[in-house]
Amino acid sequence: MVKKTVSATVRQRSERVRTAVSVLWAICWLLVIAERFSAATIRLFADDFAAAALRHLLCEFAAATPEALLLWALWRMRATLDAFARGEWFAAPITRMLDQVGVLLACGAALRILIVPGACRLLGESSGYWIAFDAAALVLGAIGLALKAIAGVLRAASAIQSELDEIF
C-alpha cells in the first residue's frame, strides 16, 4: 500500500514538474527568439540587407547556439520527467538524462566561452576579445561534466545490481 502511494506521488509530482518545465522551455524559446533575432532582423530589413546588419544577425545566431544547447538540455530533463510520470524510475532513464544533459551543458558552456566571442569578433561584431570569461558558463560546464561522471557511477552501480540480482 505504501509503495503504491509513493509511486503515485512520484508520478503526480513528475507530471506537474514536467508541465512546468514544458512551459518554461516554451517561454525561454520565445524569449531567445525575440531577444536575439527581432532587433537584428528589423535592422537587416531597415538597412536593405547591408553587410553590417547581416554580420550582426550572424553574430546573434552564434550567440543563440549555446542557448539552444541549454534549452535542449532542459528538454531532455523534461523527457526524463515524462519517463518518471509513466513509472520508469530506474537507472536507464536517469543515466541517459544525466549523460545527455551533462554533455549539452558542457558543450553550451564551451561554445559560450570559447567559440561565440571569436566568431563575433571575426564578424566584426564584438569588443575585441577571443575568449569570454563567464563565471556562470564555467559553473554550468563544470556541472555538466559532473553530471556525466555521476551518470557513469549510476551505470556501474546498475550493472553491479543486475549481477547481484542474477546471483540471488
Side-chain angles (χ1 to χ4, degrees):
M1 179 83 172
V2 172
K3 189 173 187 177
K4 286 185 179 184
T5 304
V6 170
S7 173
T9 302
V10 169
R11 290 174 110 174
Q12 289 171 345
R13 199 171 285 157
S14 295
E15 287 177 23
R16 284 194 307 264
V17 175
R18 179 196 61 207
T19 301
V21 168
S22 298
V23 170
L24 176 65
W25 181 83
I27 290 170
C28 286
W29 266 114
L30 289 172
L31 290 173
V32 165
I33 291 168
E35 178 189 356
R36 290 282 174 207
F37 303 116
S38 60
T41 304
I42 290 169
R43 179 179 166 192
L44 184 68
F45 283 102
D47 292 347
D48 292 324
F49 295 87
L54 184 58
R55 283 194 309 270
H56 180 69
L57 183 62
L58 290 174
C59 184
E60 291 297 337
F61 269 106
T65 303
E67 295 164 355
L69 289 176
L70 297 177
L71 289 173
W72 188 8
L74 188 62
W75 188 256
R76 294 309 311 147
M77 286 188 288
R78 183 219 165 270
T80 302
L81 289 166
D82 190 45
F84 292 164
R86 289 190 316 266
E88 299 172 25
W89 307 7
F90 299 103
I94 295 170
T95 55
R96 190 171 42 249
M97 183 268 299
L98 290 173
D99 265 338
Q100 292 170 348
V101 169
V103 167
L104 290 168
L105 289 178
C107 289
L111 283 174
R112 180 153 180 98
I113 293 168
L114 301 172
I115 304 298
V116 171
C120 288
R121 183 171 186 209
L122 288 174
L123 291 167
E125 288 290 319
S126 81
S127 58
Y129 50 86
W130 288 99
I131 296 174
F133 173 75
D134 184 352
L138 287 171
V139 170
L140 275 178
I143 290 171
L145 294 175
L147 289 176
K148 183 84 172 133
I150 291 168
V153 170
L154 287 176
R155 193 174 295 106
S158 178
I160 291 169
Q161 181 65 45
S162 293
E163 286 181 29
L164 289 174
D165 289 344
E166 289 176 10
I167 293 171
F168 297 105

